[in-house]
Short mmCIF file of all heavy atoms in Angstrom, two decimals:
data_model
loop_
_atom_site.label_atom_id
_atom_site.label_comp_id
_atom_site.label_asym_id
_atom_site.label_seq_id
_atom_site.Cartn_x
_atom_site.Cartn_y
_atom_site.Cartn_z
N ALA A 1 7.05 10.54 -4.96
CA ALA A 1 8.37 10.00 -4.63
C ALA A 1 8.43 8.49 -4.67
O ALA A 1 9.52 7.92 -4.62
CB ALA A 1 8.77 10.49 -3.23
N TYR A 2 7.29 7.80 -4.77
CA TYR A 2 7.30 6.34 -4.72
C TYR A 2 8.20 5.69 -5.76
O TYR A 2 8.97 4.78 -5.40
CB TYR A 2 5.87 5.79 -4.82
CG TYR A 2 5.81 4.29 -4.78
CD1 TYR A 2 6.00 3.61 -3.58
CD2 TYR A 2 5.62 3.55 -5.94
CE1 TYR A 2 5.96 2.24 -3.54
CE2 TYR A 2 5.58 2.17 -5.90
CZ TYR A 2 5.75 1.52 -4.70
OH TYR A 2 5.73 0.15 -4.67
N PRO A 3 8.16 6.08 -7.03
CA PRO A 3 9.06 5.41 -7.99
C PRO A 3 10.54 5.56 -7.64
O PRO A 3 11.32 4.62 -7.81
CB PRO A 3 8.75 6.10 -9.32
CG PRO A 3 7.41 6.69 -9.15
CD PRO A 3 7.29 7.04 -7.71
N PHE A 4 10.92 6.71 -7.11
CA PHE A 4 12.31 6.92 -6.74
C PHE A 4 12.67 6.08 -5.51
O PHE A 4 13.74 5.48 -5.45
CB PHE A 4 12.57 8.40 -6.46
CG PHE A 4 12.24 9.28 -7.63
CD1 PHE A 4 11.13 10.11 -7.59
CD2 PHE A 4 13.01 9.26 -8.78
CE1 PHE A 4 10.81 10.91 -8.67
CE2 PHE A 4 12.70 10.06 -9.87
CZ PHE A 4 11.59 10.89 -9.81
N LEU A 5 11.76 6.02 -4.53
CA LEU A 5 12.01 5.20 -3.35
C LEU A 5 12.07 3.72 -3.72
O LEU A 5 12.88 2.97 -3.17
CB LEU A 5 10.92 5.44 -2.30
CG LEU A 5 10.86 6.84 -1.70
CD1 LEU A 5 9.64 6.97 -0.80
CD2 LEU A 5 12.13 7.12 -0.91
N LYS A 6 11.20 3.32 -4.62
CA LYS A 6 11.16 1.92 -5.04
C LYS A 6 12.48 1.52 -5.70
O LYS A 6 13.02 0.45 -5.43
CB LYS A 6 10.00 1.71 -6.00
CG LYS A 6 9.81 0.29 -6.44
CD LYS A 6 8.59 0.17 -7.34
CE LYS A 6 8.45 -1.24 -7.86
NZ LYS A 6 7.35 -1.38 -8.79
N ALA A 7 13.00 2.38 -6.55
CA ALA A 7 14.26 2.08 -7.22
C ALA A 7 15.44 2.14 -6.26
O ALA A 7 16.35 1.32 -6.34
CB ALA A 7 14.48 3.06 -8.36
N ARG A 8 15.41 3.06 -5.34
CA ARG A 8 16.55 3.25 -4.43
C ARG A 8 16.65 2.15 -3.38
O ARG A 8 17.72 1.64 -3.10
CB ARG A 8 16.42 4.62 -3.75
CG ARG A 8 17.44 4.90 -2.71
CD ARG A 8 18.78 5.19 -3.32
NE ARG A 8 19.71 5.55 -2.28
CZ ARG A 8 20.95 5.15 -2.25
NH1 ARG A 8 21.43 4.42 -3.20
NH2 ARG A 8 21.75 5.51 -1.27
N PHE A 9 15.52 1.79 -2.77
CA PHE A 9 15.54 0.85 -1.65
C PHE A 9 15.10 -0.56 -2.03
O PHE A 9 14.95 -1.40 -1.16
CB PHE A 9 14.65 1.38 -0.52
CG PHE A 9 15.16 2.66 0.05
CD1 PHE A 9 14.43 3.82 -0.08
CD2 PHE A 9 16.37 2.72 0.72
CE1 PHE A 9 14.89 5.01 0.44
CE2 PHE A 9 16.84 3.91 1.25
CZ PHE A 9 16.09 5.06 1.11
N ASN A 10 14.84 -0.84 -3.32
CA ASN A 10 14.42 -2.14 -3.79
C ASN A 10 13.21 -2.63 -2.98
O ASN A 10 13.24 -3.66 -2.33
CB ASN A 10 15.58 -3.14 -3.71
CG ASN A 10 15.31 -4.39 -4.51
OD1 ASN A 10 14.30 -4.48 -5.21
ND2 ASN A 10 16.19 -5.36 -4.42
N LEU A 11 12.13 -1.85 -3.04
CA LEU A 11 10.95 -2.14 -2.24
C LEU A 11 10.26 -3.44 -2.62
O LEU A 11 9.54 -4.02 -1.82
CB LEU A 11 9.95 -0.98 -2.35
CG LEU A 11 10.39 0.33 -1.72
CD1 LEU A 11 9.32 1.38 -1.89
CD2 LEU A 11 10.71 0.16 -0.25
N ASP A 12 10.50 -3.95 -3.84
CA ASP A 12 9.91 -5.23 -4.22
C ASP A 12 10.44 -6.36 -3.35
O ASP A 12 9.77 -7.36 -3.13
CB ASP A 12 10.21 -5.54 -5.69
CG ASP A 12 9.44 -4.63 -6.63
OD1 ASP A 12 8.36 -4.15 -6.21
OD2 ASP A 12 9.90 -4.41 -7.75
N ARG A 13 11.62 -6.21 -2.81
CA ARG A 13 12.19 -7.23 -1.93
C ARG A 13 11.83 -6.96 -0.46
O ARG A 13 11.58 -7.88 0.30
CB ARG A 13 13.72 -7.24 -2.08
CG ARG A 13 14.40 -8.30 -1.24
CD ARG A 13 15.90 -8.27 -1.45
NE ARG A 13 16.49 -6.96 -1.20
CZ ARG A 13 16.86 -6.51 -0.01
NH1 ARG A 13 16.68 -7.24 1.05
NH2 ARG A 13 17.40 -5.32 0.12
N ILE A 14 11.77 -5.68 -0.07
CA ILE A 14 11.55 -5.33 1.34
C ILE A 14 10.09 -5.48 1.75
O ILE A 14 9.79 -6.01 2.81
CB ILE A 14 12.04 -3.89 1.61
CG1 ILE A 14 13.55 -3.81 1.43
CG2 ILE A 14 11.65 -3.43 3.00
CD1 ILE A 14 14.09 -2.40 1.50
N LEU A 15 9.14 -5.02 0.91
CA LEU A 15 7.73 -5.02 1.29
C LEU A 15 7.16 -6.40 1.61
O LEU A 15 6.47 -6.56 2.60
CB LEU A 15 6.89 -4.30 0.24
CG LEU A 15 7.09 -2.79 0.18
CD1 LEU A 15 6.25 -2.19 -0.94
CD2 LEU A 15 6.74 -2.13 1.49
N PRO A 16 7.45 -7.45 0.82
CA PRO A 16 6.94 -8.77 1.21
C PRO A 16 7.53 -9.26 2.53
O PRO A 16 6.86 -9.94 3.30
CB PRO A 16 7.36 -9.68 0.06
CG PRO A 16 7.53 -8.78 -1.10
CD PRO A 16 8.01 -7.48 -0.53
N THR A 17 8.76 -8.88 2.81
CA THR A 17 9.37 -9.27 4.08
C THR A 17 8.66 -8.60 5.24
O THR A 17 8.37 -9.24 6.25
CB THR A 17 10.87 -8.87 4.08
OG1 THR A 17 11.49 -9.43 2.94
CG2 THR A 17 11.55 -9.35 5.34
N ILE A 18 8.33 -7.33 5.10
CA ILE A 18 7.60 -6.61 6.16
C ILE A 18 6.20 -7.20 6.32
O ILE A 18 5.71 -7.36 7.44
CB ILE A 18 7.54 -5.11 5.84
CG1 ILE A 18 8.94 -4.49 5.93
CG2 ILE A 18 6.58 -4.39 6.79
CD1 ILE A 18 9.01 -3.07 5.46
N GLY A 19 5.58 -7.57 5.21
CA GLY A 19 4.23 -8.13 5.27
C GLY A 19 4.16 -9.50 5.90
O GLY A 19 3.13 -9.92 6.40
N SER A 20 5.28 -10.24 5.91
CA SER A 20 5.25 -11.58 6.47
C SER A 20 5.67 -11.63 7.94
O SER A 20 5.76 -12.70 8.52
CB SER A 20 6.16 -12.50 5.65
OG SER A 20 7.51 -12.10 5.80
N LEU A 21 5.94 -10.48 8.54
CA LEU A 21 6.31 -10.47 9.95
C LEU A 21 5.13 -10.88 10.80
O LEU A 21 4.00 -10.47 10.58
CB LEU A 21 6.77 -9.07 10.37
CG LEU A 21 8.08 -8.57 9.79
CD1 LEU A 21 8.35 -7.15 10.26
CD2 LEU A 21 9.23 -9.47 10.20
N ARG A 22 5.36 -11.71 11.77
CA ARG A 22 4.31 -12.18 12.67
C ARG A 22 4.79 -12.01 14.11
O ARG A 22 5.97 -12.14 14.40
CB ARG A 22 3.99 -13.65 12.43
CG ARG A 22 3.45 -13.93 11.05
CD ARG A 22 2.02 -13.40 10.93
NE ARG A 22 1.47 -13.69 9.63
CZ ARG A 22 1.33 -12.82 8.66
NH1 ARG A 22 1.74 -11.59 8.83
NH2 ARG A 22 0.79 -13.16 7.52
N ILE A 23 3.85 -11.78 14.99
CA ILE A 23 4.16 -11.68 16.41
C ILE A 23 3.91 -13.04 17.03
O ILE A 23 2.83 -13.61 16.87
CB ILE A 23 3.30 -10.60 17.08
CG1 ILE A 23 3.62 -9.24 16.48
CG2 ILE A 23 3.52 -10.60 18.58
CD1 ILE A 23 2.74 -8.13 16.95
N HIS A 24 4.90 -13.56 17.72
CA HIS A 24 4.76 -14.86 18.38
C HIS A 24 4.66 -14.62 19.87
O HIS A 24 5.65 -14.30 20.52
CB HIS A 24 5.96 -15.74 18.05
CG HIS A 24 6.13 -15.96 16.58
ND1 HIS A 24 5.28 -16.75 15.86
CD2 HIS A 24 7.02 -15.46 15.69
CE1 HIS A 24 5.66 -16.76 14.60
NE2 HIS A 24 6.71 -15.96 14.47
N PRO A 25 3.47 -14.78 20.44
CA PRO A 25 3.32 -14.53 21.89
C PRO A 25 4.05 -15.58 22.71
O PRO A 25 4.20 -16.72 22.28
CB PRO A 25 1.81 -14.61 22.10
CG PRO A 25 1.31 -15.43 20.98
CD PRO A 25 2.23 -15.19 19.82
N GLN A 26 4.50 -15.17 23.86
CA GLN A 26 5.15 -16.09 24.78
C GLN A 26 4.09 -16.94 25.46
O GLN A 26 3.01 -16.45 25.78
CB GLN A 26 5.94 -15.30 25.84
CG GLN A 26 7.06 -14.46 25.25
CD GLN A 26 8.14 -15.30 24.62
OE1 GLN A 26 8.44 -16.39 25.09
NE2 GLN A 26 8.71 -14.81 23.53
N PRO A 27 4.37 -18.21 25.70
CA PRO A 27 3.38 -19.04 26.39
C PRO A 27 3.15 -18.53 27.80
O PRO A 27 4.08 -18.09 28.48
CB PRO A 27 4.00 -20.43 26.39
CG PRO A 27 5.45 -20.23 26.11
CD PRO A 27 5.58 -18.94 25.37
#
């Protein structure tokens, strides 16, 4: 199903965004 999901949800744009998420702890 990956090729269909990739075409439908534009995973080339979403995956790098998910990969760049960082957790910022509170001081």
